[in-house]
């Protein structure tokens, strides 16, 4: 399995195989997983830019946005992912698959980055191939790579900064600093979580090359931030007051920044909420089924891999591996403080690091013959199979074709010209952001509007349950509203209510 000459001669075959498997599952999931709320929210501004030439988010009514000019300019999220998505819409046409191809592309960048990270930190192609495999076959990575959020793009740019630095630093430190910091800048312009790479790359640069640094290197490091700041700042200055209002509203929504008020509690919630939910100890999402508790075995593998770098002396004494450990620690502190909602999709900023740790541990087991080689092979096959099997099951369930598209067809066939629909923003893909679709997360509580149809799914159910703490008025309002309606269509993911 890990004979050096065999790996050396067949490296390209291994890489092609890993990339092929990754693309099969990522594209398969992109085509079959139903659109999600965030997919449509982020697609709206990109769609408007591609189709109508302006960068506004128009699917939220004034009763929700108030005085915000969000329908003219989108400031509530960072722009880079939306701009790339708009370009994909322009070239490939508007649909959910075009949007998700952006994430598939950045998934490939993530694979390349971790091949290089594994190679440069260990100097062994075997570890590089293993790291690339663990990343490419990971369920959460494949899930994120087949979604319409910006998290994978931001994370891939973050890890690309490390890969670039490790590859170039010995040849040209100046270029290594500039390009790695440029990648960090782009990550931050994609999502604020790019701040993880900002602090991590400061550590990496000082850790590896402190004695070589001069003032000219600091100036070079600052340059990408000045360029990015000037470009984004020129857009902000078009309407600074609305920028401030949109960013503040998004940051304060539903306890998003709650971790700063109680750091210890937020730290503990990483273990009691985020990780259990991500690794099968929570509930299935709407329309999905299966033994998701088996995903907890994946988490166990990552825990073993991470702590092996701390507890096993030869691994602990390899200073290069400290980079992985410190990056994980930086990520954990920042996410504990800034992610008050404990969203699982932010784990894309740390899961690849766990994969690299596990790759190092598995190679050590093999090289030192700690376990019979057949057990190590069987363990890796089972680990990969568990994750790819879970993704294959999800693809087979085809929630897009079996649940989402029938809902869209029902609405198109039964909604009259003067009738409206309330539901999640994801309906915008099927209805092409029609004027009939009212994007109102309060379901008319603030506006007093009543739609002919309400489309109810697990996302609305979760939002309603969370409102008991953050919006008690809505928690009482929604059940009363639904008493005015009858269920006229239902499948495992959706219910359509029609007003009497």
């Amino acid at each position: 399995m890990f004979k050096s000459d065999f790996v050396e001669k067949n490296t390209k075959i291994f890489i092609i195989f890993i990339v092929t498997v990754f693309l099969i599952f990522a594209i398969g999931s992109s085509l079959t997983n139903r659109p999600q709320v965030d997919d449509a929210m982020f697609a709206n501004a990109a769609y408007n830019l591609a189709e109508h030439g302006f960068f506004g988010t128009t699917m939220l009514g004034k009763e929700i946005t108030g005085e915000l000019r969000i329908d003219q300019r989108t400031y509530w999220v960072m722009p880079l992912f939306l701009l790339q998505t708009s370009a994909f819409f322009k070239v490939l046409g508007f649909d959910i698959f075009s949007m998700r191809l952006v994430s598939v592309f950045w998934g490939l960048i993530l694979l390349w980055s971790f091949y290089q990270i594994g190679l440069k930190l260990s100097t062994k192609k075997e570890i590089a191939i293993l790291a690339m495999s663990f990343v490419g076959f990971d369920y959460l990575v494949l899930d994120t790579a087949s979604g319409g959020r910006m998290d994978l793009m931001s994370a891939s740019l973050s890890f690309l900064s490390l890969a670039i630095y490790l590859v170039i630093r010995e040849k040209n430190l100046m270029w290594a600093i500039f390009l790695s910091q440029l990648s960090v800048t782009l990550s931050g312009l994609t999502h604020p979580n790019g701040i993880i790479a900002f602090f991590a790359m400061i550590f990496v640069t000082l850790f590896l090359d402190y004695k070589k640094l001069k003032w000219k290197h600091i100036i070079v490091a600052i340059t990408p931030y000045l360029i990015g700041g000037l470009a984004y700042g020129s857009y902000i200055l078009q309407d600074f007051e609305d920028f401030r209002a949109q960013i503040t509203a998004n940051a304060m929504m539903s306890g998003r920044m709650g971790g700063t008020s109680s750091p210890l509690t937020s730290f503990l919630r990483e273990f009691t909420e985020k990780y259990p939910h991500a690794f099968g100890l929570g509930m299935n999402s709407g329309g999905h089924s299966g033994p998701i508790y088996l995903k907890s075995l994946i988490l166990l593998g990552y825990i073993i891999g991470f702590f092996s770098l701390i507890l096993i002396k030869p691994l602990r004494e390899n200073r290069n591996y400290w980079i992985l450990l410190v990056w994980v620690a930086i990520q954990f502190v920042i996410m504990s403080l800034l992610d008050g909602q404990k969203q699982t999709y932010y784990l894309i900023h740390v899961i690849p690091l766990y994969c690299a740790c596990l790759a190092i541990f598995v190679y050590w087991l093999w090289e030192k013959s700690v376990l019979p080689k057949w057990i190590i092979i069987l363990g890796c096959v089972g680990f990969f199979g568990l994750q790819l099997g879970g993704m294959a099951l999800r693809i087979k369930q085809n929630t897009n074709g079996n649940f989402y598209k029938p809902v869209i067809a029902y609405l198109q066939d039964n909604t009259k010209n003067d009738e409206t629909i309330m539901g999640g923003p994801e309906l915008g893909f099927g209805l092409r952001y029609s004027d009939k679709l009212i994007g109102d997360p309060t379901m008319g509580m603030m506006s007093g509007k009543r739609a002919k149809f309400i489309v109810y799914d697990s996302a609305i159910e979760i939002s309603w349950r969370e409102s008991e703490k953050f919006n008690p008025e809505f928690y009482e309002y929604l059940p009363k509203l639904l008493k005015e309606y009858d269920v006229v269509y239902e499948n495992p993911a959706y219910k359509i209510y029609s007003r009497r």
Side-chain angles (χ1 to χ4, degrees), residues 4-69:
S4 296
D5 56 341
F6 177 76
V7 173
E8 186 71 32
K9 292 178 182 178
N10 295 281
T11 297
K12 290 183 178 179
I13 295 175
F14 280 118
I15 291 174
I16 291 172
F17 174 75
I18 294 166
V19 169
T20 301
V21 173
F22 170 82
L23 287 174
I24 288 172
F25 282 89
I27 292 174
S29 179
S30 297
L31 289 169
T32 57
N33 193 33
R34 66 187 177 100
Q36 303 298 311
V37 171
D38 287 345
D39 295 347
M41 288 295 294
F42 300 138
N44 188 214
Y47 168 79
N48 285 329
L49 183 61
E51 296 294 325
H52 307 299
F54 71 100
F55 201 42
T57 302
T58 55
M59 67 181 308
L60 297 176
K62 280 294 182 182
E63 59 275 3
I64 301 302
T65 61
E67 298 301 317
L68 297 179
R69 293 177 288 279

Side-chain angles (χ1 to χ4, degrees), residues 458-472:
S458 59
I460 295 175
E461 174 75 16
I462 292 171
S463 177
W464 173 69
R465 291 186 182 280
E466 291 178 346
S467 71
E468 184 176 12
K469 177 179 179 181
F470 298 108
N471 190 355

Side-chain angles (χ1 to χ4, degrees), residues 7 48 113 148 165 257 275 289 362 365 383 393 487:
V7 173
N48 285 329
S113 297
Y165 191 82
M257 298 295 292
Y275 278 84
S289 60
V362 169
L365 289 176
F383 194 80
L393 176 61
V487 176

Side-chain angles (χ1 to χ4, degrees), residues 58 68 84 119 124 154 181 222 246 248 254 291 334 339 356 369 381 384 477:
T58 55
L68 297 179
Q84 186 177 358
L119 182 62
K124 298 182 183 298
S154 178
Q181 294 302 322
I222 294 173
Q246 288 189 38
T248 302
S254 301
I334 291 175
D339 180 21
S369 299
V381 171
F384 294 145
Y477 166 81

